[in-house]
Amino acid sequence: METISKQGRFTLKQILKENWDVFLVTHGKQVTWCMAFNAWKTMYRQEPEGLGYATFACPDLPGETCHIPRSC
């Protein structure tokens, strides 16, 4: 695996996609079916926009909203 030296935001999806194959070569015998399935869901699920999101607003600050994406 490589060290991430680039500044910015990284997602779990991106990290898994870039490193999963190497991880399996090194630790494949320790990875259970459930672990592999959850990694697969993270790497290949739809983007949150495709699944929708819940919107929350504070009663004291109605102009401020928070969007929580739905995922698998």
Side-chain angles (χ1 to χ4, degrees):
M1 286 190 206
E2 298 178 24
T3 302
I4 298 174
S5 58
K6 194 190 290 187
Q7 290 184 359
R9 296 183 126 187
F10 291 92
T11 63
L12 180 58
K13 180 178 187 172
Q14 177 186 359
I15 293 168
L16 283 171
K17 278 189 163 188
E18 292 176 2
N19 298 289
W20 184 247
D21 292 335
V22 175
F23 181 81
L24 284 179
V25 169
T26 309
H27 304 286
K29 292 182 180 181
Q30 299 167 336
V31 176
T32 65
W33 179 87
C34 186
M35 295 162 88
F37 182 60
N38 282 301
W40 178 84
K41 287 191 303 185
T42 301
M43 291 186 284
Y44 298 107
R45 66 174 172 79
Q46 293 180 355
E47 293 301 318
E49 294 81 22
L51 299 174
Y53 53 87
T55 302
F56 297 93
C58 176
D60 298 330
L61 302 169
E64 298 289 324
T65 60
C66 177
H67 300 291
I68 307 297
R70 293 186 179 105
S71 62
C72 55

